[in-house]
């Protein structure tokens, strides 16, 4: 009870119900029911995709789904979507996420921000009349990036969108064709028609298709400038596709 005896403060556990009696100056008693319910706050926001390559004149839209954790959060559950450059890609909110539409060549970052300030980002590379595009991979110049360890040849090809459906996709390791069930390694090449794309598997720096202590040691050596990585090896070290290598 406060010093002026006018305010009662009491700490309750979550989802508690209690009936109390309140007496006024005249001695009248009123029964009051108190319900204590804690409103959870959004702690994280997750997107079901992290990167895509869209074609203005081909596959030019992609739907992103957003999930807030905890699922029963009340505070911060509203999401605001923004694009870093609407001349490259526009974003429109939907019931469960957003739709991104390609507008012009370049790379744009789509940001989802909850009303309490939690963020998640999605990178989109927009091209025009390209041979291939993808809802999962960053296809830039002659490289296919954002390929995860343990991805098979079949899974890669299933996530490649062909501008010309008559083109055939084949993966090679050097001069040897790789079977559909085999797992990808950094440096393998996807041949589409007569064009070749170099596959970059995230974290696979030594080209064995895995992330091991050897890869971590090579990354550390690069960061400490003992052994500078270049080319596909440097790209395999860039885990978040920001053209930077950080610890």
């Amino acid at each position: 009870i406060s010093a002026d005896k006018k305010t009662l403060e009491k700490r309750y556990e979550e989802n508690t119900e209690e009936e109390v009696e309140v007496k006024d100056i005249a001695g009248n008693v009123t029964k009051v029911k108190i319900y204590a319910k804690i409103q959870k706050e959004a702690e994280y926001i997750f997107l079901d995709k992290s990167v895509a390559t869209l074609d203005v004149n081909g596959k030019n839209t992609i739907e992103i789904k957003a999930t807030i954790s905890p699922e029963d959060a009340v505070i911060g559950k509203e999401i605001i979507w923004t694009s870093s450059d609407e001349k490259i890609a526009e974003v429109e909110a939907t019931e469960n996420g957003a739709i991104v539409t390609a507008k012009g060549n370049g790379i744009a970052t789509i940001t989802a921000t909850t009303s309490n300030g939690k963020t998640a980002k999605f990178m989109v590379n927009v091209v025009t009349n390209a041979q291939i595009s993808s809802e999962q991979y960053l296809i830039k110049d002659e490289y296919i990036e954002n390929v995860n360890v343990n991805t098979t040849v079949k899974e890669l090809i299933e996530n490649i969108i062909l501008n010309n459906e008559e083109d055939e996709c084949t993966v090679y390791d050097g001069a040897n064709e790789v079977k559909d069930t085999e797992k990808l390694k950094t440096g393998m090449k996807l041949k589409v028609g007569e064009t070749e794309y170099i596959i970059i598997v995230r974290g696979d720096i030594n080209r064995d298709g895995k992330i091991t202590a050897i890869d971590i040691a090579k990354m550390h050596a690069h960061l400490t400038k003992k052994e500078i990585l270049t080319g596909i090896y440097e790209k395999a070290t860039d885990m978040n596709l920001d053209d930077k290598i950080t610890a």
Side-chain angles (χ1 to χ4, degrees):
I1 301 176
S2 63
D4 59 7
K5 297 185 179 181
K6 293 181 180 180
T7 304
L8 171 66
E9 293 184 1
K10 185 175 181 180
R11 190 176 297 275
Y12 288 93
E13 297 295 327
E14 183 180 359
N15 299 325
T16 301
E17 179 179 336
E18 182 182 20
E19 187 175 81
V20 298
E21 292 186 353
V22 180
K23 183 183 291 186
D24 62 19
I25 298 176
N28 300 313
V29 177
T30 302
K31 291 184 177 181
V32 179
K33 277 190 175 182
I34 297 175
Y35 300 92
K37 185 176 181 180
I38 298 175
Q39 291 188 330
K40 293 184 179 179
E41 185 173 352
E43 297 179 8
Y44 304 98
I45 178 171
F46 303 98
L47 305 182
D48 67 334
K49 299 178 180 68
S50 60
V51 66
T53 301
L54 300 181
D55 193 320
V56 174
N57 294 327
K59 171 63 180 177
N60 62 357
T61 63
I62 186 171
E63 183 176 5
I64 310 171
K65 292 185 179 179
T67 303
I68 288 177
S69 179
E71 293 182 0
D72 56 349
V74 175
I75 301 172
K77 66 179 183 178
E78 294 80 13
I79 302 173
I80 298 172
W81 296 85
T82 56
S83 170
S84 63
D85 192 333
E86 293 188 347
K87 292 181 180 179
I88 296 174
E90 292 181 349
V91 60
E92 181 179 358
T94 62
E95 183 177 354
N96 298 314
I99 292 178
V100 177
T101 302
K103 290 296 180 181
N105 289 12
I107 292 179
T109 300
I110 306 300
T111 303
T113 306
T114 64
S115 50
N116 66 334
K118 309 300 180 181
T119 62
K121 297 181 183 293
F122 168 82
M123 179 189 295
V124 57
N125 180 37
V126 177
V127 295
T128 302
N129 296 325
Q131 191 171 25
I132 59 175
S133 56
S134 175
E135 291 192 356
Q136 186 165 328
Y137 304 125
L138 177 66
I139 304 171
K140 186 180 179 185
D141 301 325
E142 72 269 36
Y143 298 101
I144 300 177
E145 301 181 63
N146 199 48
V147 180
N148 292 324
V149 167
N150 295 324
T151 300
T152 65
V153 170
K154 182 180 178 181
E155 290 169 340
L156 173 80
I157 293 175
E158 286 177 344
N159 285 286
I160 295 294
I161 301 169
L162 298 172
N163 188 30
N164 182 358
E165 294 182 358
E166 295 182 359
D167 283 338
E168 293 185 0
C169 294
T170 309
V171 172
Y172 289 90
D173 190 0
N176 301 316
E177 184 175 340
V178 184
K179 296 179 180 179
D180 285 352
T181 55
E182 290 190 38
K183 294 178 181 178
L184 298 169
K185 302 175 184 178
T186 291
M188 286 182 172
K189 293 183 179 181
L190 173 69
K191 188 173 182 180
V192 183
E194 297 302 318
T195 306
E196 291 184 337
Y197 298 87
I198 302 171
I199 299 166
I200 306 296
V201 178
R202 292 198 303 171
D204 176 28
I205 302 168
N206 68 338
R207 299 196 62 242
D208 64 354
K210 305 173 185 178
I211 298 178
T212 65
I214 296 175
D215 298 296
I216 296 171
K218 285 183 174 292
M219 183 184 294
H220 182 264
H222 179 86
L223 290 170
T224 56
K225 301 186 184 304
K226 293 180 179 179
E227 181 186 348
I228 301 300
L229 299 169
T230 59
I232 61 173
Y233 309 104
E234 183 180 17
K235 284 185 172 295
T237 311
D238 182 12
M239 301 296 285
N240 60 356
L241 303 176
D242 64 352
D243 293 325
K244 299 177 183 177
I245 301 176
T246 55

